[in-house]
Amino acid sequence: MDMTLAGQIVGRILLSYFVVLVIMFLVSNFNLKRAFYHTHRWYGFIALVFIFLVGISSHFYN
């Protein structure tokens, strides 16, 4: 695995985490502590994996 591919995977994971955190921030009425808590629950993890896989799969259809 070259560094470009590794960087894209790590970047995609971090971006997915940030997207989930922002969504949880909006859902938790702009409370960052609650948003951080909800991001680290099981449904936050499932959302992160889903967003990551959708982003990765978009490279296969182009």
Side-chain angles (χ1 to χ4, degrees), residues 2 20 37 40 53 56:
D2 61 339
V20 171
Y37 173 76
H40 292 99
L53 290 177
I56 291 295

Side-chain angles (χ1 to χ4, degrees), residues 15-25 39 44-45 47-48 51:
L15 186 62
S16 299
Y17 177 80
F18 182 72
V19 167
V20 171
L21 184 63
V22 167
I23 291 170
M24 294 299 178
F25 181 69
T39 302
F45 179 73
L48 187 138
I51 291 173

Side-chain angles (χ1 to χ4, degrees), residues 19 54 57 59:
V19 167
V54 167
S57 67
H59 289 289

